Amino acid sequence: MLSAIKKEIQLRHNELEDKSLKSLYFGGGTPSVLSVDEIKSLIDEIQKYFSFDENIEITLESNPDDLNKNFLKELSQTEINRLSIGTQSFFDEDLKLMNRAHNASEAESSIKRAQDFGLENISIDLIYGSPTSNFDIWKENLNKTVELQVPHVSSYALTVEPKTALEKWIENGKVNSPEEAEQNQEFYYMKDFLKDNGFDHYEISNFGKPGFYSKHNSAYWKSEPYLGIGPSAHSYNGSLERSWNIANNPVYIKNLNQNILPKETEILSEKDRFNEMMMIGLRTIWGVDLNKINQNFSSEIIDYLNQGIKPKLESGILKIKDNYLKIPEQHWFLADGIASDLFIV
């Protein structure tokens, strides 16, 4: 797999015009199962074709149970300068429900260990609205996050995916289905609590202290170009072309051994590009740049948007500030529905 990934980097590096990287992200699965030497070898391969911006953010996604003392000690001597830790919760009942390999004690100790080795730029994932949780437990999760001095939080409502153990448990009455009203309450409490503790709420599911916004995810939300390497990875050239790699690991490796790129490509239609701008932009504090809309879309689409937003502006669920279309923060929990109302179908 590592050889195939290196081969793909060799074959595709010219797809990014800008050879100075501002972000490098090891994610999608659990790259922390690699040894530090293997991670370093991938970084070395990338540096054959790209230079690193002096303020580059290099993130490693990791499970708490992978972050042992030896691993972190070695990792702290590499270019990795940010960890995204799949904490999910600091309570064992929640973690058992989510089928996580780590326990509550490991969730906390992994963060402290990373900080002890100087890896202080940490993002953690937290899940709210779990049937094993309640409002008091959720408050404790947030209190623990602040106590640990974590500078970035990505937080998502628990969703029931089809054909999962959770779906079966709900069908059998073993656990209750997540309640939207409770998730709503916990979302708005989190928003106020984290803001009171120095976080900026810069995207619906993301909170960062000043200087600690995720550079990588911010690039997605601003429609900047990115190159995705590895099975299932997605890429975007910043304008019309999106591509994705096949998900099958053996086929991915076999193709690259034969110098065949295991990817599919699509050219985005005007409708697709418009819908994506609405979907992504309205989830952020930056909103949708109406100047870009006017520059890049036909008069028919501009007229469609102006008609669609008129009643929403009047009702207050949308606003325009400095020619950016935004959802006021008190309505962010409804953002996906508001954006989809504006989609061209």
Side-chain angles (χ1 to χ4, degrees), residues 30 41 80 107 109 131 165 181 213 222 274 283 299 306:
T30 314
S41 76
I80 301 287
S109 61
Y213 295 9
K222 294 177 180 179
F274 174 82
R283 292 179 58 90
S299 57
N306 289 335

Side-chain angles (χ1 to χ4, degrees), residues 55-221:
N55 296 314
I56 189 171
E57 173 188 277
I58 306 182
T59 304
L60 179 75
E61 275 190 4
S62 52
N63 281 333
D65 43 305
D66 290 330
L67 298 178
N68 60 58
K69 187 176 177 180
N70 289 337
F71 182 83
L72 285 166
K73 182 180 180 180
E74 292 179 28
L75 197 69
S76 68
Q77 295 162 6
T78 71
E79 292 90 341
I80 301 287
N81 56 20
R82 184 174 183 269
L83 291 177
S84 177
I85 304 176
T87 306
Q88 315 301 1
S89 174
F90 294 103
F91 286 84
D92 284 329
E93 293 82 0
D94 292 342
L95 295 171
K96 286 174 187 170
L97 179 80
M98 298 173 207
N99 201 26
R100 303 297 294 180
H102 66 278
N103 59 35
S105 174
E106 286 174 318
E108 182 175 347
S109 61
S110 66
I111 294 167
K112 290 178 176 177
R113 275 196 301 273
Q115 292 167 332
D116 287 344
F117 284 104
L119 291 160
E120 296 179 353
N121 189 354
I122 292 171
S123 176
I124 65 170
D125 292 343
L126 288 177
I127 303 294
Y128 60 91
S130 165
T132 51
S133 183
N134 58 43
F135 195 46
D136 288 335
I137 288 175
W138 180 234
K139 286 198 233 181
E140 282 301 309
N141 268 321
L142 294 171
N143 283 329
K144 179 65 71 177
T145 299
V146 170
E147 283 172 20
L148 289 168
Q149 298 184 315
V150 170
H152 189 279
V153 176
S154 297
S155 190
Y156 308 93
L158 182 75
T159 54
V160 183
E161 299 295 335
K163 299 179 181 176
T164 59
L166 179 57
E167 184 186 54
K168 261 199 173 63
W169 292 339
I170 290 170
E171 287 173 358
N172 297 337
K174 188 176 177 182
V175 295
N176 295 324
S177 181
E179 292 288 337
E180 187 174 335
E182 290 176 14
Q183 292 183 337
N184 196 330
Q185 180 192 29
E186 291 178 1
F187 171 83
Y188 283 109
Y189 176 83
M190 168 178 60
K191 173 181 77 69
D192 293 337
F193 178 84
L194 290 178
K195 285 179 79 173
D196 289 344
N197 283 279
F199 289 80
D200 296 332
H201 190 189
Y202 71 105
E203 193 268 349
I204 288 177
S205 301
N206 285 271
F207 302 79
K209 291 187 176 179
F212 288 95
Y213 295 9
S214 168
K215 289 183 182 179
H216 198 79
N217 289 342
S218 295
Y220 291 146
W221 300 324

